[in-house]
Amino acid sequence: MLGFCWVSGWLVLMLGFWSPVSGRNMVIQRDAQFDMTYDDVVTSDNQTIYSYNHTVSRNKTEGVRVSVELLSESAASPVLFVVRQKQAVLSFQVPLILRGLYQRKYQYTQVGRTLCQPPTKAVAETQFFFVDVSTLSSAGIQFQLRVSRVDSFTLQTDKKFSFNATPSQPQFFKYVFPDGVDTVIVKVNSQKNFPCSVMSIQDILCPVFDLDNNVAFIGMYQTMTTRAAITVQRKDFPSNSFYVVVVVKTEDEACGGPLRFYPLLPDELLDPGNRSKTLDVIVSPAINSEVYVMGMLFCLGIFLSFYLLTFLMACVENKRMNRKREGLLNPDASPAETGKAVSPYEYGSFADNGSTLSSEAITDSLASTDGNYGYIDRSLESVTRSRHESLSSVEEDDYDTLADIDSDKNIVRTKKFLCVSDLARKDKRILSKKYQIYFWNIATIAVFYALPVIQLVITYQTVVNVTGNQDICYYNFLCAHPLGALSSFNNILSNLGYVLLGLLFLLIVLQRDILHNRALERHDTHALECGIPKHFGLYYAMGTALMMEGLLSACYHVCPNYTNFQFDTSFMYMIAGLCMLKLYQKRHPDINASAYSAYACLAAVIFFSVLGVVFGKGNTVFWIVFSVIHILATMLLSTQLYYMGRWRLDSGIVRRILNVIYTDCIRQCSGPMYIDRMVLLVMGNIVNWSLAAYGLIKRPNDFASYLLAIGICNLLLYFAFYIIMKLRSGERIKCLALVCILFTAVVWGFALFFFFQGLSTWQKTPAESREHNRECILLSFFDDHDIWHFLSSIAMFGSFLVLLTMDDDLDAVQRDKIYVF
């Protein structure tokens, strides 16, 4: 009885409190209709509740949108709107205050929100929802309310839908996966770059995060100017459906727009201006598993065909060499009977260079040759005996025990015309050990470099998948095919060519190395005393670098951005440097740089690359310092090459320079002693000084690519000089090498064309980068950058083959007849 009295008293008290007679507050509830506009006034003394009902179907989704406009100006307090649904509550105030950077605040008096439809298990169910309107302002605030149905709330496959959005009037739509479709790509486009927008993919949950300050809370999202694209997989959404949310941001800085001024006062409200944007959305099915399989088979087929071609060429060459050996071993067969004169040294890239000439004849012929080029007459017995000694007992200064003038480096290396024999005086065992260090060092570098890289990119991909922030990685989103946890599997798969062709090059080099060692074991004097000295350590390092370029490029494309771009370029610097070293080593085997100094220089290059990416953008001081270092390094290297290493950088360098200028330029005007070398170095200095000036003036944002361009330009210049000097010296290029040169040049041309298509760029904001995105162009799986990967890997492999085979014509020429240039 006591409890009943207490409840009755509480009810009476509440009725008195809400009674209009009391003067405290009044609640007005109205039955409202869809698509009707209600003009009303709200104060702190009255609260209005608009009651709506609508039928919710299990098989049909119908959107409901609430639109509010504040008609009163300079209201003292905002109007609070609370939408109460069956399983969700949505609240917002008008005027709506949205914050930008530096706590800038923007006021919106028109707000439109789409309601989240609660799920239902019944075939059809009538649901009620209420819109509560209240304020704390004592003065009346006039507002306008309209609740309408959104007939096109569910997006249809391959059908474009256009709509408008503002920061205070976001839009979202529902998409349901049709039967047989497991992956779709959602594309949002606009004709205007600004205002900046955000496209988000969210699960079918309430509430929907559709404001600038909360759209990044769940799901996947991208900022956009004119286009955005997100690939969505059915497995990520248990309900087999998702929301496509489009929000216009309050400011444009995230999309690369201009920076707004700071507010004069901390609480000053800024006018947002007209930030309405018209957008189109279309959802299309993505590729199926068959396309994935075709893409992988195509990639494997291209590069395995090089293995097949190499195997066939090796078989043909081996068969040809067997026929030559049979003809040479038959004493009754004359050259006329065999059809042509046969040289035992005309062998191709993959065959042994057997010789049946006697060692005595070779020794006699070598002893009778002119010795003006410093050719050293050594008996076969001493050479053979030295090669059977233990490698561990060899020191690099062993060759300095020669007599008098033959051991004087300064006299030998300053001759006007040098031959390879002058610069191939060290014991082969010493040089073999020296150049093998290149391979072991790069293998060690690769292991210690790749492991943290792999760990880092796995972390990047995990962050992208967990946070849903697709602005972290700069993909070509219109052709980014996910596989498992990888967001762009096609960009990773296309790097397979670097690995497979690098391995193939290593196998080719290994075969040549084995054949050469067999020739040495047979005491073949032509392998000892003819042709360019064969050292394979740098070739092994080049093949390893090509494989690592593929691995690290794949790691970079797991999540490409400016912080890990060095993964994609580090071994490109290595490849360019090793190729230049190999070109120089061909004619200068004794004086080529050691592996330690070479890799130290390449490490310095990578160090500057990192500094340039982090600090180089628009930093005048950095560009001045780098340009000065670039020019000084070019001058020092030019001096090193011109004087063949016979100069010293010490306190007397200035005095010696002035002395040379006085004697060669003032006292008597004499031309350079080494004209060919001078031409190369002058051209090299012109190119490098021009590149330094370009960098200082233009200051490109992509410093890593600029630095790589310097290396490639120098490599191409030296390679062209080598080819020209080779032909000028009366040497010839064999058919295989010529085919490789022409094939490689053509492939490089096509590769660079696709490279400069620029499907994305981390030099800009993610939204601006997506403006360059384009559809797949090959098998609906690969884009332009994938084709660049295919062609550049083939071109690099061809370039390596050119270096390997271009001097095969000299294998039967004595080294004192091969000129140094």
Side-chain angles (χ1 to χ4, degrees), residues 215-449:
V215 69
F217 285 180
I218 65 171
M220 301 177 288
Y221 64 93
Q222 294 178 358
T223 55
M224 63 167 288
T225 52
T226 59
R227 66 177 60 178
I230 296 180
T231 300
V232 185
Q233 301 181 79
R234 183 195 291 262
K235 66 179 182 63
D236 297 328
F237 296 92
S239 63
N240 294 329
S241 58
F242 57 87
Y243 285 136
V244 179
V245 184
V246 179
V247 178
V248 177
K249 294 183 70 65
T250 56
E251 295 178 328
D252 295 327
E253 284 86 347
C255 296
L259 293 174
R260 297 291 296 270
F261 56 86
Y262 288 91
L264 299 177
L265 298 175
D267 296 328
E268 181 180 357
L269 296 176
L270 302 178
D271 181 14
N274 180 19
R275 295 190 64 80
S276 176
K277 190 168 186 176
T278 302
L279 304 105
D280 301 327
V281 60
I282 184 171
V283 183
S284 304
I287 62 174
N288 54 30
S289 57
E290 294 179 358
V291 180
Y292 277 86
V293 174
M294 287 297 298
M296 289 185 281
L297 291 178
F298 174 80
C299 184
L300 286 172
I302 286 180
F303 300 113
L304 292 181
S305 64
F306 282 88
Y307 281 79
L308 178 61
L309 180 62
T310 302
F311 176 75
L312 293 177
M313 291 182 64
C315 291
V316 171
E317 190 65 24
N318 186 60
K319 186 176 181 180
R320 186 176 68 87
M321 291 306 303
N322 287 336
R323 289 179 180 177
K324 286 187 176 183
R325 291 193 186 97
E326 291 175 1
L328 291 171
L329 293 173
N330 186 2
D332 297 330
S334 63
E337 293 172 348
T338 59
K340 62 177 182 177
V342 179
S343 170
Y345 316 111
E346 295 178 356
Y347 62 94
S349 300
F350 314 106
D352 193 359
N353 57 330
S355 173
T356 59
L357 297 181
S358 65
S359 60
E360 292 83 359
I362 296 300
T363 305
D364 292 342
S365 64
L366 295 180
S368 61
T369 56
D370 187 6
N372 292 334
Y373 300 103
Y375 182 81
I376 305 169
D377 185 12
R378 289 179 285 176
S379 67
L380 279 178
E381 294 180 359
S382 62
V383 173
T384 304
R385 184 169 55 252
S386 65
R387 294 187 182 281
H388 286 288
E389 295 175 0
S390 172
L391 290 178
S392 62
S393 64
V394 180
E395 299 296 336
E396 190 166 353
D397 293 331
D398 283 355
Y399 79 104
D400 285 335
T401 58
L402 299 175
D404 300 331
I405 193 172
D406 290 333
S407 64
D408 194 334
K409 303 175 186 177
N410 292 318
I411 295 177
V412 171
R413 296 182 191 175
T414 54
K415 290 162 52 177
K416 187 170 184 179
F417 297 103
L418 280 173
C419 291
V420 171
S421 60
D422 296 323
L423 299 178
R425 302 157 66 86
K426 293 185 180 181
D427 192 285
K428 184 184 186 307
R429 296 169 299 165
I430 302 168
L431 295 181
S432 294
K433 290 177 62 178
K434 175 181 178 181
Y435 294 127
Q436 283 298 329
I437 295 176
Y438 274 96
F439 168 70
W440 292 113
N441 277 9
I442 201 170
T444 305
I445 292 171
V447 171
F448 283 93
Y449 192 90

Side-chain angles (χ1 to χ4, degrees), residues 615-623 699-701:
F615 303 108
K617 189 174 182 179
N619 192 330
T620 305
V621 175
F622 171 82
W623 281 100
R699 284 175 284 180
N701 293 331

Side-chain angles (χ1 to χ4, degrees), residues 350-626:
F350 314 106
D352 193 359
N353 57 330
S355 173
T356 59
L357 297 181
S358 65
S359 60
E360 292 83 359
I362 296 300
T363 305
D364 292 342
S365 64
L366 295 180
S368 61
T369 56
D370 187 6
N372 292 334
Y373 300 103
Y375 182 81
I376 305 169
D377 185 12
R378 289 179 285 176
S379 67
L380 279 178
E381 294 180 359
S382 62
V383 173
T384 304
R385 184 169 55 252
S386 65
R387 294 187 182 281
H388 286 288
E389 295 175 0
S390 172
L391 290 178
S392 62
S393 64
V394 180
E395 299 296 336
E396 190 166 353
D397 293 331
D398 283 355
Y399 79 104
D400 285 335
T401 58
L402 299 175
D404 300 331
I405 193 172
D406 290 333
S407 64
D408 194 334
K409 303 175 186 177
N410 292 318
I411 295 177
V412 171
R413 296 182 191 175
T414 54
K415 290 162 52 177
K416 187 170 184 179
F417 297 103
L418 280 173
C419 291
V420 171
S421 60
D422 296 323
L423 299 178
R425 302 157 66 86
K426 293 185 180 181
D427 192 285
K428 184 184 186 307
R429 296 169 299 165
I430 302 168
L431 295 181
S432 294
K433 290 177 62 178
K434 175 181 178 181
Y435 294 127
Q436 283 298 329
I437 295 176
Y438 274 96
F439 168 70
W440 292 113
N441 277 9
I442 201 170
T444 305
I445 292 171
V447 171
F448 283 93
Y449 192 90
L451 290 179
V453 166
I454 294 173
Q455 180 182 7
L456 181 62
V457 297
I458 291 175
T459 303
Y460 266 115
Q461 188 65 74
T462 302
V463 170
V464 172
N465 294 335
V466 171
T467 65
N469 182 6
Q470 298 204 352
D471 282 354
I472 297 176
C473 307
Y474 288 71
Y475 302 117
N476 174 21
F477 288 92
L478 292 178
C479 186
H481 305 302
L483 182 67
L486 300 174
S487 299
S488 185
F489 173 69
N490 54 298
N491 290 152
I492 298 172
L493 176 65
S494 58
N495 286 283
L496 184 63
Y498 297 104
V499 179
L500 292 180
L501 294 182
L503 177 60
L504 178 58
F505 182 74
L506 288 177
L507 295 176
I508 294 172
V509 173
L510 177 62
Q511 189 210 26
R512 282 207 163 200
D513 195 2
I514 292 173
L515 294 177
H516 182 64
N517 289 331
R518 288 177 181 174
L520 296 179
E521 291 175 359
R522 291 197 309 268
H523 308 157
D524 188 343
T525 56
H526 295 83
L528 297 172
E529 306 296 340
C530 295
I532 298 295
K534 291 178 172 54
H535 303 290
F536 297 95
L538 272 168
Y539 286 129
Y540 287 121
M542 289 161 53
T544 305
L546 184 58
M547 295 178 68
M548 285 305 302
E549 170 60 27
L551 175 62
L552 293 179
S553 178
C555 291
Y556 165 71
H557 283 91
V558 169
C559 181
N561 56 62
Y562 85 99
T563 58
N564 58 18
F565 182 63
Q566 64 150 312
F567 303 161
D568 195 35
T569 56
S570 294
F571 273 81
M572 292 293 289
Y573 302 137
M574 294 279 193
I575 291 172
L578 291 173
C579 287
M580 282 190 282
L581 286 169
K582 186 59 193 179
L583 272 176
Y584 189 76
Q585 184 211 55
K586 282 177 172 289
R587 310 279 169 152
H588 312 79
D590 283 356
I591 61 174
N592 203 26
S594 67
Y596 306 112
S597 58
Y599 287 130
C601 293
L602 292 173
V605 171
I606 296 175
F607 174 74
F608 275 106
S609 174
V610 174
L611 290 181
V613 170
V614 177
F615 303 108
K617 189 174 182 179
N619 192 330
T620 305
V621 175
F622 171 82
W623 281 100
I624 292 175
V625 172
F626 175 77

Side-chain angles (χ1 to χ4, degrees), residues 725-799:
M725 292 304 300
K726 180 178 177 65
L727 298 176
R728 194 165 162 256
S729 301
E731 302 173 10
R732 64 187 181 89
I733 299 177
K734 297 187 73 172
C735 180
L736 179 62
L738 184 60
V739 169
C740 290
I741 291 173
L742 297 177
F743 172 77
T744 302
V746 172
V747 175
W748 268 125
F750 283 103
L752 291 175
F753 170 78
F754 287 101
F755 174 76
F756 288 112
Q757 295 305 303
L759 303 182
S760 62
T761 171
W762 47 261
Q763 302 172 51
K764 301 179 181 179
T765 63
E768 291 174 309
S769 172
R770 275 185 279 275
E771 295 176 10
H772 304 282
N773 289 178
R774 286 203 294 273
E775 302 281 352
C776 305
I777 63 172
L778 180 62
L779 300 176
S780 299
F781 192 77
F782 298 110
D783 60 16
D784 299 70
H785 197 72
D786 293 321
I787 298 178
W788 150 254
H789 287 161
F790 291 146
L791 296 179
S792 62
S793 61
I794 295 172
M796 287 185 187
F797 175 70
S799 301

